[in-house]
């Protein structure tokens, strides 16, 4: 069994190209590196180095050994990380999401040992859901798409519905509902990071302009001193950022099917017992 430190010395030498740079990189002496590489060559039983005056290079076999050593070290580290993540997941339930809405709901759960991702942070791509669960980086992911594999299952938790808040003195504000097409050519104040909703409003509203804001505080300040319309949902009612009492906009339902988004709790089947209480609580708390 070749020891990891010898593999690390070989990989570092392959990357640095000289003994002195390898020693500096690993913060050990050059003679130590030399002895380690000699021992490693002896372990393989074949020449790994071309030795010339004041110059040491890898043979073809040495290059193959360095590539294999790097893969072994990477695989070892991945195993360590995976085991650590798994052990951590048994103590805490890590919740991520593909959009802000379900994370707003999750942040209102009164359940111990939950760690919920920020509702204003970077959201998970649907294509990454399975790998994040399998590597135990998340225990439960709230996704706008259902995921079903041999190891992963999903359960429906609720629907988010998009509304638009319009100046009360406009004609649209007097209607019970509007369609996306009714909002054409209008300008909206919108948070930059709203997950899949961003693409939906861009695709569905012809000729619209979106004044994206990176922070909720900035959005609220602009809405206070302007009459630009903005969007909200049944879920954002749970947000800490409440609608101002002096906001004179009228909230109008958007009736298009694209203005409704279903969400699912996605998890590893073997974690079903662990996450079931959380999923039930999410479903119960979800705004109707």
């Amino acid at each position: 069994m070749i020891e990891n430190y010898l593999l690390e010395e070989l990989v570092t030498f392959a990357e640095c190209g000289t003994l002195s740079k390898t020693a500096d990189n690993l913060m050990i002496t050059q003679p130590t590196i030399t002895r380690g590489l000699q021992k490693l060559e002896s372990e393989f039983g074949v020449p790994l180095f071309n030795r010339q005056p004041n110059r040491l290079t890898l043979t073809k076999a040495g290059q193959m050994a360095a590539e294999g050593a790097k893969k072994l070290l990477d695989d070892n580290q991945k195993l360590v990380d995976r085991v650590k993540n798994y052990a951590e997941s048994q103590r805490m339930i890590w919740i991520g999401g593909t959009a802000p809405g379900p994370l707003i709901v999750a942040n209102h759960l009164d359940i111990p040992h939950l760690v919920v991702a920020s509702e204003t942070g970077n959201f998970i791509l649907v294509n990454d859901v399975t790998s994040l669960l399998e590597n135990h980086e998340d225990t439960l992911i709230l996704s706008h798409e259902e995921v079903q594999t041999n190891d992963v299952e999903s359960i429906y938790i609720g629907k988010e519905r998009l509304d638009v808040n319009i100046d009360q003195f406009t004609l649209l504000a007097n209607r019970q509902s509007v369609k996306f097409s009714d909002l054409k050519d209008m300008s909206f104040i919108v948070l930059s990071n709203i997950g899949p909703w961003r693409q939906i409003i861009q695709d569905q509203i012809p000729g619209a302009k979106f004044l994206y804001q990176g922070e909720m505080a900035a959005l609220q300040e602009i809405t206070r001193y302007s009459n630009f319309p903005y969007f909200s949902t049944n879920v954002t009612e749970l947000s800490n950022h409440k609608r101002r009492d002096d906001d004179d906009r009228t909230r109008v339902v958007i009736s298009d099917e694209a203005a409704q988004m279903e969400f699912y709790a996605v998890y590893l089947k073997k974690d079903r017992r662990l996450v079931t209480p959380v999923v039930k609580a999410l479903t119960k708390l979800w705004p109707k």
Side-chain angles (χ1 to χ4, degrees), residues 95-106 123-124 126 129 140-148 153-162 194-198 200 233-236 258-267 279 282-283 286-287:
I95 301 181
T98 63
L103 295 176
I104 291 173
V105 181
F123 302 116
I124 294 168
V126 173
V129 167
L140 184 66
I141 295 178
L142 309 177
S143 170
H144 62 286
E145 291 188 17
E146 189 175 7
V147 181
Q148 300 285 357
E153 64 185 14
S154 303
I155 186 168
Y156 174 79
I157 55 172
K159 184 179 292 185
E160 188 171 17
R161 297 182 300 274
L162 191 68
I194 53 174
W197 284 118
R198 178 165 176 158
I200 288 175
T233 76
N234 57 315
V235 173
T236 56
Q260 300 188 49
M261 190 178 299
E262 294 183 342
F263 281 93
Y264 302 84
V266 189
Y267 51 88
V279 174
L282 275 170
T283 305
W286 194 276

Side-chain angles (χ1 to χ4, degrees), residues 167-183:
D167 189 315
Q168 63 179 331
F169 298 109
T170 64
L171 291 175
L172 290 179
N174 295 318
R175 295 171 54 172
Q176 293 295 315
S177 65
V178 297
K179 291 184 173 294
F180 280 125
S181 57
D182 297 324
L183 306 175

Side-chain angles (χ1 to χ4, degrees), residues 105-123:
V105 181
N107 271 306
H108 281 74
L109 295 178
D110 186 19
I111 298 177
H113 310 305
L114 288 186
V115 179
V116 182
S118 170
E119 59 201 52
T120 59
N122 294 321
F123 302 116

Side-chain angles (χ1 to χ4, degrees), residues 78-94 132-139 268 270-271 274:
K78 287 178 183 177
L79 176 60
V80 170
D81 292 342
R82 190 169 183 177
V83 170
K84 286 182 177 179
N85 289 336
Y86 178 77
E88 186 68 19
S89 74
Q90 301 310 294
R91 296 190 297 272
M92 307 294 293
I93 297 177
W94 300 85
L132 290 173
L133 291 172
E134 289 176 342
N135 290 324
H136 305 289
E137 294 180 50
D138 285 293
T139 320
L268 294 176
K270 65 183 182 62
D271 287 337
L274 177 67

